[in-house]
Amino acid sequence: SQTIHQWPATLVQPVGSPLSLECTVEGTSNPNLYWYRQAAGRGLQLLFYSVGIGQISSEVPQNLSASRPQDRQFILSSKKLLLSDSGFYLCAWSAIWASGRNEQFFGPGTRLTVL
Amino acid sequence: DQQVKQNSPSLSVQEGRISILNCDYTNSMFDYFLWYKKYPAEGPTFLISISSIKDKNEDGRFTVFLNKSAKHLSLHIVPSQPGDSAVYFCAASEPNTGKLIFGQGTTLQVKP
């Protein structure tokens, strides 16, 4: 069966510090991978998605970047964190999109607090 | 401009009764719709889905209804249980890309 891991679970970082969040998927090959952010009291905002190694699409302009160095690894990064980067970050995967079905499966999330 | 909207931020129902969560969308090209359940500090869990070619899908206590003409879908939970208390997100699959567009979520509280 497929599993998705995220770490760390929680992170407190000062403004201006770098960030690296990691996501890995097991039990599947060539998944689509996604990074979402849930700000306090709000819905899920898609930040990045990837359909293959080295292929990253950015959904919103921001202080963050993403990379996919391996098939089942997705990394979210920042060179200098802002207060507004605080939130709950979620990684998700899906099988290659086919018309009619597109369930995404989420990891446990990382709670990031920027002080 | 929000393409998927959940206009009720919260809903409270009594245990054993029906919970109805609503979702509206604007893009008639969406071809697949999903409901997720989320507990605090956890990732969302896929609950149930429906293709745009259907108007109903049922899985145990959960039923999703789709009204394409009204661009509206709803999730029915019968009977509601205290363990159903969570935030529920509806999502629509964007045509040609498969990306999901999420609503803002509805917090369901089921009282014993």
Side-chain angles (χ1 to χ4, degrees):
Chain A
S1 64
Q2 300 87 3
T3 56
I4 179 169
H5 305 278
Q6 282 187 249
W7 64 90
T10 60
L11 191 59
V12 180
Q13 292 284 94
V15 169
S17 64
L19 173 73
S20 181
L21 303 181
E22 190 163 344
C23 170
T24 59
V25 181
E26 296 177 355
T28 186
S29 296
N30 197 25
N32 290 341
L33 296 172
Y34 309 84
W35 279 112
Y36 289 86
R37 177 171 57 205
Q38 183 185 19
R42 302 188 65 179
L44 302 176
Q45 182 185 35
L46 179 63
L47 303 176
F48 301 95
Y49 72 97
S50 171
V51 298
I53 295 175
Q55 300 179 63
I56 309 294
S57 296
S58 174
E59 287 297 294
V60 292
Q62 59 203 310
N63 185 42
L64 303 168
S65 62
S67 62
R68 184 171 177 173
Q70 300 180 45
D71 180 44
R72 290 170 290 175
Q73 184 185 29
F74 206 22
I75 297 172
L76 184 69
S77 304
S78 174
K79 292 182 179 178
K80 289 186 178 182
L81 283 168
L82 306 172
L83 286 174
S84 58
D85 291 324
S86 294
F88 191 54
Y89 288 83
L90 290 156
C91 180
W93 74 273
S94 70
I96 295 173
W97 174 74
S99 179
R101 294 189 67 91
N102 187 29
E103 290 89 357
Q104 292 182 17
F105 301 95
F106 286 82
T110 295
R111 170 69 63 192
L112 172 66
T113 303
V114 182
L115 301 175
Chain B
D1 182 33
Q2 197 133 14
Q3 297 188 71
V4 178
K5 294 183 180 180
Q6 294 175 255
N7 292 315
S8 298
S10 62
L11 175 67
S12 181
V13 300
Q14 210 63 35
E15 180 179 7
R17 306 295 290 269
I18 184 172
S19 296
I20 300 176
L21 298 109
N22 295 303
C23 180
D24 298 293
Y25 61 95
T26 58
N27 188 343
S28 59
M29 298 300 292
F30 287 144
D31 57 3
Y32 197 65
F33 302 89
L34 308 90
W35 283 95
Y36 285 84
K37 176 182 179 179
K38 184 182 182 301
Y39 294 117
E42 294 183 11
T45 302
F46 169 70
L47 200 54
I48 192 170
S49 61
I50 187 167
S51 166
S52 60
I53 63 173
K54 295 184 176 182
D55 55 17
K56 177 182 175 181
N57 187 28
E58 191 173 355
D59 183 3
R61 295 186 298 116
F62 303 92
T63 303
V64 55
F65 295 93
L66 176 62
N67 183 334
K68 287 186 67 177
S69 61
K71 297 190 182 67
H72 177 84
L73 68 154
S74 61
L75 174 68
H76 292 211
I77 307 174
V78 182
S80 300
Q81 300 173 354
D84 296 328
S85 298
V87 179
Y88 289 80
F89 291 97
C90 68
S93 181
E94 196 174 70
N96 302 320
T97 69
K99 291 187 293 183
L100 295 184
I101 311 298
F102 283 86
Q104 312 95 305
T106 297
T107 300
L108 172 66
Q109 183 184 27
V110 180
K111 298 180 179 179

